[in-house]
Amino acid sequence: MAIVHNSDGDYAAGDSAATVAAEIEVFGGSKAMSIASEREAELADPIAAVIPMVLRHEEVVMHVPVEVAERARQAALASGADIIVSVGGGSTTGLAKAVALTTGLPILAVPTTYAGSEATNVWGLTEGETKSTGVDTKVLPASIVYDANLLRSLPGELTVASGLNAMAHCVDAMWGPRVDPIDQALAAEGIRALAAGLPAVAADPSGIDGIEQTLYGAYLAAVAFASAGSGIHHKICHVLGGMFNLPHAQTHATVLPHVLAFNAPLAPRAEARMAAAFHAPTAFEGLQALRAQLDAPTALAEYGLTATGITDAVEAILPIVPGNNPHPVTAENLTALLHAALIGADPATVADKPLEEGALTPNRGHGVVSVMPLP
């Protein structure tokens, strides 16, 4: 995977169209399929004008329903496309991945949010109320073109949610099922960069320096997450998103402090690294201070979740919780966590609950298999 930036090492602000065209030549592409939603059309237009495009596909739907993916796949085959150019956020990149999964076409990703999907080999598809995810090298974009200018018009609320979604990648990577010391180092640096970049972007949404700092953090977050694997946070959010069609980034932003409060006390080494990255006494205090500064979302009820859905969600989440999660997970404490996230209760109230009798002993090694000691 190539990451394209300019000769100064910056994120090629304003250069995306020319850079995408040059990258297509590198890959020998002559028939590009552009994937960009109608909302992203204005950002995609300059790129579409200079590439050998045979198809412009605009049907992009959150959580990538299988029927939407199938229509995009058929359109790609019918057009004879030999490369995919995705311009957009996680849903757009996700659709490009769905096409690449079955066609093998290379993806050239141009992100317009901080989702990070462009830097992972993880795909996701939703059928009915069930969101399934998997890992495949075919869906990892062959090249990423970062252009800070493309994020200058990102609405403030989405900037916050998208950036905290990236932060969730860092936090989940700290105790993911395949975590190793390098993953933790990348995730810690991602936390530091996001904690510095997001307030800058919130204060000046069009400021290039803040956007580039946040993009840097989002990229590190995605790489760490892809290597460490999906932890309990992402298992929760994928179930909620698929089952109740909740907005992806906002769901992650809302659930994150509850998972951090739940796990951090039983993962002291990871907690210490996160606290240092936040420059805070504890990781939880650092995250909460950042969330207060950003006026982050606090309650899933604001996005359509109701108390009646929690039981079904718990039943779907429990079987897929990674076995190395620092805090033992039961129906009772998972229900309490989801209810707190539903109403916007203080996440610390869940962390304060004692471990249930008969719960599994926490895996304090976090499932790490390594030839080097954890830092």
Side-chain angles (χ1 to χ4, degrees), residues 243-284:
M243 189 173 285
F244 306 109
N245 199 35
L246 303 186
H248 181 83
Q250 290 86 342
T251 301
H252 281 273
T254 304
V255 170
L256 178 59
H258 299 276
V259 171
L260 181 59
F262 185 74
N263 270 349
L266 294 175
R269 288 177 295 184
E271 197 284 329
R273 297 191 73 159
M274 289 187 282
F278 277 116
H279 301 292
T282 69
F284 180 69

Side-chain angles (χ1 to χ4, degrees), residues 107-135:
I107 301 171
L108 200 167
V110 187
T112 63
T113 71
Y114 304 108
S117 179
E118 71 280 355
T120 78
N121 58 353
V122 180
W123 57 265
L125 290 166
T126 301
E127 185 168 12
E129 295 181 347
T130 302
K131 184 170 184 176
S132 301
T133 60
V135 174

Side-chain angles (χ1 to χ4, degrees), residues 256-318:
L256 178 59
H258 299 276
V259 171
L260 181 59
F262 185 74
N263 270 349
L266 294 175
R269 288 177 295 184
E271 197 284 329
R273 297 191 73 159
M274 289 187 282
F278 277 116
H279 301 292
T282 69
F284 180 69
E285 290 176 86
L287 176 63
Q288 289 299 79
L290 176 64
R291 285 172 50 82
Q293 191 174 2
L294 299 175
D295 192 24
T298 58
L300 293 176
E302 297 177 7
Y303 304 107
L305 184 66
T306 65
T308 58
I310 289 180
T311 299
D312 289 342
V314 168
E315 290 180 359
I317 295 165
L318 279 175

Side-chain angles (χ1 to χ4, degrees), residues 29-128:
S30 60
K31 297 179 179 180
M33 173 186 186
S34 168
I35 298 180
S37 69
E38 187 176 349
R39 185 176 66 83
E40 303 285 2
E42 187 174 342
L43 299 179
D45 282 346
I47 296 172
V50 297
I51 64 174
M53 189 173 63
V54 295
L55 173 63
R56 187 161 184 170
H57 190 86
E58 294 186 339
E59 187 190 15
V60 176
V61 181
M62 184 173 62
H63 303 303
V64 196
V66 291
E67 60 273 16
V68 173
E70 187 56 31
R71 285 194 288 272
R73 290 163 173 168
Q74 293 303 319
L77 292 173
S79 71
D82 57 15
I83 192 167
I84 304 166
V85 178
S86 66
V87 183
S91 297
T92 303
T93 309
L95 181 60
K97 288 181 172 185
V99 175
L101 185 64
T102 58
T103 65
L105 294 176
I107 301 171
L108 200 167
V110 187
T112 63
T113 71
Y114 304 108
S117 179
E118 71 280 355
T120 78
N121 58 353
V122 180
W123 57 265
L125 290 166
T126 301
E127 185 168 12

Side-chain angles (χ1 to χ4, degrees), residues 138-149:
K138 291 196 295 292
V139 309
L140 179 66
S143 181
I144 308 169
V145 174
Y146 285 109
D147 181 348
N149 267 1

